[in-house]
Amino acid sequence: MLLKSPLSLGKMVLANLVCVFLLIEVIVSGFRIGVDGLRMDYYLMTCPFAEQIVQNTVNRALQSDPTLAAALVRMHFHDCFIEGCDGSILIDSTKDNTAEKDSPGNLSLKGYEIIDDAKEQIENDCPGVVSCADIVAMAARDAIFWTGGPVYDIPKGRKDGRRSKIEDTINLPFPTFNATELIRAFGQRGFTAQEMVALSGAHTLGVARCASFKSRLSGVDSTLDSDFAKTLSKTCSAGDSAEQPFDATRNTFDNFYFNTLVRKSGLLFSDQTLYTNPKTRAAVNGYAFNQAMFFFDFQQAMVKMGMLNVKEGDNGEVRENCRIIN
């Protein structure tokens, strides 16, 4: 057995210490990921059970009604796309102000009671600490995991906004948008076309109402499979509020949504346009073929979306009641 010289041993110890310091830096950096003061461990000292409370609340709700998973993901998107991720979607209208949630594009949103439930429990534990905006973001993340989607963490520390106006929702993407319009709308918020397609994959969960796709049935839509068109016509025979799933596994997070686009069975015009447009078709094909790639890109895009125009310090507040500005 060869004995190492003191110099060699010293070098080994130094190298090991460097590795340890690098590992610590990676871990610490992981906790500090984010913008505007957002951190993975934001509530570690002030409200350590906040995330567990949200997760347990979401899990209980989804066990009773699995369709609420899609609602929580959609709520997070509709919150972040207007005024940033600041919980503005939660605010109730008053006699002096019609809020975002009462706009036509948001009337079908549901799941508000889940956020209320989690907020009430958290306020009992650590009042005035955890924002409603963070609860919405965590609830969407937990809903995605519950339905079989990717596991990911998000930085916390968002503050709640003080503005919620119906006129702002004009900036939500419409189900009639084509790929060019979608690329522009998402691009204005810093997303690439690939990230937009990945986020559109959230439509693997949930349903759409006939009112949002019946226009595709009134004329000749060459992008719509003829047999699927018959299915949609049958659905719409029950009226504008009749619902049609985006794909065959409406309560499971998978890549089936992209396979429906390849088969010309995208539910909304804004879904199918992702396959008909050459700028986004390759991404659709890639995600239809490789679910792991979709999961990875989706979680990255969701973390990025959750950082849109976050409020910090005096620019926001922590609401006592998510439905009312303090």
Side-chain angles (χ1 to χ4, degrees), residues 139-195:
R141 175 202 61 190
D142 296 339
I144 289 165
F145 176 63
W146 192 89
T147 54
V151 181
Y152 64 94
D153 199 5
I154 55 172
K156 276 76 66 178
R158 300 163 187 79
K159 291 293 174 61
D160 296 320
R162 301 185 180 94
R163 174 188 173 94
S164 182
K165 294 187 176 294
I166 187 173
E167 56 264 31
D168 295 340
T169 61
I170 192 68
N171 294 314
L172 284 171
F174 288 87
T176 54
F177 272 16
N178 60 35
T180 300
E181 291 169 316
L182 288 171
I183 290 171
R184 181 172 64 249
F186 280 79
Q188 289 171 345
R189 288 158 180 79
F191 293 103
T192 66
Q194 181 93 16
E195 289 170 334

Side-chain angles (χ1 to χ4, degrees), residues 69-278:
L72 291 173
V73 177
R74 187 165 174 242
M75 182 189 296
H76 182 40
F77 174 82
H78 281 230
D79 181 35
C80 292
F81 224 73
I82 306 300
E83 290 292 308
C85 306
D86 64 352
S88 56
I89 190 64
L90 306 172
I91 296 174
D92 285 340
S93 295
T94 65
K95 64 178 183 179
D96 300 318
N97 178 63
T98 304
E100 292 174 26
K101 64 167 55 173
D102 287 323
S103 77
N106 287 332
L107 288 177
S108 59
L109 286 179
K110 56 183 181 177
Y112 296 112
E113 68 282 354
I114 301 174
I115 308 302
D116 292 337
D117 186 5
K119 177 64 171 175
E120 183 178 355
Q121 295 177 63
I122 291 172
E123 284 297 303
N124 288 334
D125 251 19
C126 31
V129 174
V130 181
S131 69
C132 301
D134 271 349
I135 295 174
V136 170
M138 289 187 280
R141 175 202 61 190
D142 296 339
I144 289 165
F145 176 63
W146 192 89
T147 54
V151 181
Y152 64 94
D153 199 5
I154 55 172
K156 276 76 66 178
R158 300 163 187 79
K159 291 293 174 61
D160 296 320
R162 301 185 180 94
R163 174 188 173 94
S164 182
K165 294 187 176 294
I166 187 173
E167 56 264 31
D168 295 340
T169 61
I170 192 68
N171 294 314
L172 284 171
F174 288 87
T176 54
F177 272 16
N178 60 35
T180 300
E181 291 169 316
L182 288 171
I183 290 171
R184 181 172 64 249
F186 280 79
Q188 289 171 345
R189 288 158 180 79
F191 293 103
T192 66
Q194 181 93 16
E195 289 170 334
M196 180 270 290
V197 176
L199 288 171
S200 298
H203 278 177
T204 188
L205 297 175
V207 300
R209 295 182 177 182
C210 175
S212 62
F213 59 78
K214 69 177 182 179
S215 60
R216 303 185 69 196
L217 306 173
S218 58
V220 179
D221 187 340
S222 61
T223 68
L224 183 62
D225 176 78
S226 57
D227 289 335
F228 188 56
K230 294 175 184 176
T231 298
L232 298 187
S233 295
K234 184 177 179 181
T235 297
C236 287
S237 66
D240 282 359
S241 295
E243 297 176 338
Q244 176 71 29
F246 283 102
D247 67 29
T249 56
R250 58 177 288 182
N251 297 323
T252 301
F253 198 96
D254 51 34
N255 67 336
F256 281 20
Y257 163 80
F258 295 105
N259 285 281
T260 66
L261 305 188
V262 175
R263 296 195 304 269
K264 298 173 67 174
S265 298
L267 184 54
L268 305 178
F269 178 80
S270 58
D271 292 320
Q272 194 59 51
T273 187
L274 301 179
Y275 189 69
T276 56
N277 192 296

